[in-house]
Amino acid sequence: MMIVDEQKCIGCGECVLACSLGVIKIRSRKARVGQGCSFCGACKRVCPQEAVDFPAEVPEGSVPCEACPVGCRIKEGFLGACQRYRNQEGSLVRVVPLHGFEEVAQVVGEDISEEIRKPLVTGIGAGTTYPDCRPAPHILHGKVQGVDVVTVVTEAPLSYSSVLVKVDTDLPVGQEGARVKVGKKVVGHVTTEQYGSKMLSIGGVNLLTGPDGMVVARTMCEIANRRAVKLQVEGGARLEIRVGFPPVVNGQESSRMRVGCGSATMGLFAPLFKEAADEVIVLDSHLTSLMSEHAAGRFVGVKPTGVKLRFKQSTPGRYFGDHGSGWGGTSIVHPREVIKELDMKVAWPGMRILVTETTGEKAVMFQVNARGQLEEVELTALARDVVEAVASSCEPSRVSALYMGGAGGSARAGVSRYPIKLTQAVHARKANLTVGGAPTFVLPGGGISFMVDVERVKQGAFYWTPTPATICPIEYTMLLSDYQKIGGHVEAMKPFEVKMR
């Protein structure tokens, strides 16, 4: 089990919180590690006193787990840190057996039936009936594959609406939570990153009903309709975004989306990296990787090089980066700065170190001289080839967006006399909600909150009104029998063929 230095331990309990197996307890104000310890090292990483360390020798009978970068050593009869693998008589076995679809089909539930997958008509150009207790502007019925189907359409004003914008760029745009502005008006905030892409939330009911609501609604519509918008992140970057086009950050166009994080890049290209250099560092703001320590590097037979990085280690060969305008979105402007030290007891003169990014846009090679210093040398042909392999595996950077709306309000009255039954039908997949004919994802739980890829909706289909709210073309399609069951306005139905003439 992990070793605790009782002279240093202050009993703060950080290790207890970090231990996924719950084998650490605090007794007499000291951490005590139990028998189930898998040597994942989480307690060592979080200990503010540096009181925890690995034992000098691996316990006899423990089995190394290679299912992830953590590298647990699992003792007989116990679980690894993720609780998926158990050491059973000297072999690691997956605790939960492989599942067939039949075993999860009931949980997954039924899919939307083919007859109602597409609406008879879209909500684009439908108009709106107001107040909502009047039947929706168009309630059409027709036959699909010989089955009676109804589509109810409206252009619904939605105050519960927002746009989630994904900006593919390694460049920093601002801190999470930072406000996003159009001019001096606050229209949203920075949320998080999704595999390196920066995520912005624009709009939402609280901003729509705030002092800048009109600008918020207009901005949401501009983005959803795939028009160019200029944004400023408070304390961060100037952004020029347009859905479907590369983002421009502080006047610099991001042309290439990274192939993955630094660790993923190592996992993808380790065999090629090994041929190109003795050591490879992939700089990345999320996870910077070091080939000789990384599991992929060890797998392809790379030997230790004595290179130590300045970033904090997550797991072997994987280091948490930082954020800045340098290489890989880090603060590293000059790549040799990422190397904290070089242990010449392990390294050797002539050793080559390749440093690159997850986009392959920049690369440099160093060679260790007899005094243990780094000298920049020209990239070898093999190094150029592997950097080009990284670059050619990247997708173009672009801006994309999801429109998110809540249709669980009064607009339901135009569809049914019993709004709760419409909500239940949507969640039961008996009524299919589409936007401009595009499929939606309906969030679980109460109400009818949905999201749709704006690039699957005809350009210009979104509007805004100075209530303020955005206006979204919505369709509900269901079997006629189900429409009758939910109390639909059958008296307002018109044949699809007649209406379209």
Side-chain angles (χ1 to χ4, degrees):
M1 63 194 74
M2 298 295 285
I3 305 299
V4 179
D5 185 336
E6 294 195 1
Q7 297 300 316
K8 294 182 178 178
C9 179
I10 58 174
C12 66
E14 291 291 334
C15 54
V16 176
L17 296 174
C19 181
S20 63
L21 295 171
V23 300
I24 304 180
K25 308 295 182 186
I26 300 294
R27 295 193 182 96
S28 302
R29 298 181 63 81
K30 301 294 177 185
R32 312 290 181 186
V33 184
Q35 286 297 319
C37 175
S38 67
F39 307 93
C40 71
C43 49
K44 173 179 168 62
R45 294 204 300 274
V46 301
C47 179
Q49 299 298 112
E50 298 183 346
V52 188
D53 207 347
F54 290 98
E57 295 183 1
V58 175
E60 186 177 351
S62 64
V63 176
C65 180
E66 299 177 343
C68 82
V70 171
C72 289
R73 305 292 301 228
I74 306 175
K75 292 186 292 187
E76 169 72 32
F78 290 103
L79 296 168
C82 67
Q83 305 186 40
R84 292 183 298 157
Y85 295 93
R86 181 190 302 278
N87 180 340
Q88 191 168 304
E89 298 180 350
S91 298
L92 296 188
V93 296
R94 182 70 174 88
V95 175
V96 176
L98 183 65
H99 279 46
F101 181 76
E102 294 75 15
E103 294 168 272
V104 299
Q106 189 173 1
V107 178
V108 174
E110 295 292 328
D111 202 355
I112 295 285
S113 66
E114 190 173 347
E115 295 85 359
I116 63 172
R117 203 162 293 168
K118 297 178 181 177
L120 296 174
V121 64
T122 77
I124 299 173
T128 310
T129 50
Y130 192 82
D132 295 315
C133 49
R134 296 164 56 197
H138 301 279
I139 304 175
L140 306 178
H141 70 87
K143 285 189 180 293
V144 176
Q145 299 180 6
V147 178
D148 288 309
V149 168
V150 177
T151 295
V152 184
V153 300
T154 185
E155 289 178 308
L158 302 177
S159 56
Y160 282 97
S161 57
S162 62
V163 178
L164 185 63
V165 182
K166 177 171 171 282
V167 182
D168 298 337
T169 181
D170 273 349
L171 300 173
V173 301
Q175 293 188 345
E176 290 186 12
R179 298 192 299 181
V180 177
K181 295 182 176 180
V182 170
K184 296 183 180 180
K185 308 294 186 184
V186 177
V187 298
H189 64 276
V190 179
T191 60
T192 184
E193 296 188 20
Q194 289 293 347
Y195 228 82
S197 300
K198 310 302 188 289
M199 307 297 294
L200 311 176
S201 174
I202 305 298
V205 64
N206 295 324
L207 287 176
L208 279 168
T209 55
D212 302 329
M214 306 300 178
V215 177
V216 173
R218 180 187 294 118
T219 304
M220 290 170 58
C221 274
E222 294 292 313
I223 295 172
N225 285 328
R226 290 175 261 164
R227 299 185 182 119
V229 172
K230 293 183 179 180
L231 303 171
Q232 174 70 55
V233 178
E234 200 168 67
R238 288 179 290 106
L239 302 174
E240 298 173 44
I241 62 168
R242 183 179 181 185
V243 170
F245 290 81
V248 178
V249 182
N250 290 329
Q252 178 182 347
E253 182 176 293
S254 295
S255 59
R256 196 178 296 167
M257 183 179 176
R258 65 181 186 166
V259 69
C261 68
S263 177
T265 305
M266 187 61 68
L268 289 167
F269 297 98
L272 297 178
F273 282 146
K274 183 194 174 192
E275 298 301 318
D278 301 303
E279 182 64 278
V280 176
I281 301 166
V282 182
L283 275 166
D284 176 44
S285 59
H286 175 210
L287 284 170
T288 288
S289 59
L290 180 66
M291 179 171 68
S292 61
E293 292 181 354
H294 195 278
R298 300 196 307 270
F299 176 76
V300 298
V302 176
K303 62 181 182 180
T305 62
V307 172
K308 304 295 181 186
L309 302 187
R310 56 174 277 187
F311 291 139
K312 181 181 179 182
Q313 188 183 66
S314 165
T315 53
R318 304 164 76 249
Y319 293 78
F320 294 125
D322 60 6
H323 295 273
S325 56
W327 285 42
T330 70
S331 63
I332 303 296
V333 176
H334 303 293
R336 73 173 68 204
E337 294 174 354
V338 74
I339 300 175
K340 180 181 178 182
E341 62 180 86
L342 187 61
D343 183 357
M344 286 305 291
K345 295 177 183 175
V346 183
W348 61 94
M351 188 176 87
R352 296 167 302 161
I353 304 172
L354 173 65
V355 185
T356 187
E357 304 173 299
T358 56
T359 58
E361 290 180 316
K362 300 174 187 170
V364 66
M365 179 168 275
F366 299 105
Q367 184 166 303
V368 179
N369 65 22
R371 291 172 294 175
Q373 297 171 327
L374 299 180
E375 294 179 350
E376 185 172 340
V377 297
E378 187 176 351
L379 290 184
T380 62
L382 286 174
R384 285 196 296 273
D385 287 347
V386 69
V387 172
E388 174 56 31
V390 173
S392 62
S393 299
C394 295
E395 298 172 88
S397 287
R398 64 198 305 277
V399 176
S400 51
L402 294 174
Y403 175 91
M404 305 173 69
S410 61
R412 292 177 295 173
V415 184
S416 167
R417 294 180 178 84
Y418 309 105
I420 183 62
K421 292 187 177 183
L422 173 62
T423 303
Q424 292 168 340
V426 169
H427 285 283
R429 298 181 176 85
K430 297 291 185 182
N432 186 25
L433 170 62
T434 51
V435 170
T440 63
F441 175 79
V442 178
L443 277 64
I448 305 176
S449 298
F450 63 90
M451 56 179 67
V452 63
D453 179 356
V454 301
E455 292 181 81
R456 299 192 69 177
V457 182
K458 184 178 180 181
Q459 193 167 13
F462 294 93
Y463 295 81
W464 71 281
T465 183
T467 54
T470 56
I471 298 174
C472 176
I474 284 179
E475 308 97 31
Y476 295 100
T477 302
M478 63 201 90
L479 301 181
L480 174 59
S481 56
D482 287 328
Y483 191 51
Q484 292 168 329
K485 289 177 184 176
I486 68 169
H489 300 290
V490 293
E491 75 286 353
M493 286 193 315
K494 294 179 180 177
F496 172 60
E497 295 82 4
V498 172
K499 184 65 183 176
M500 293 308 292
R501 283 201 295 269

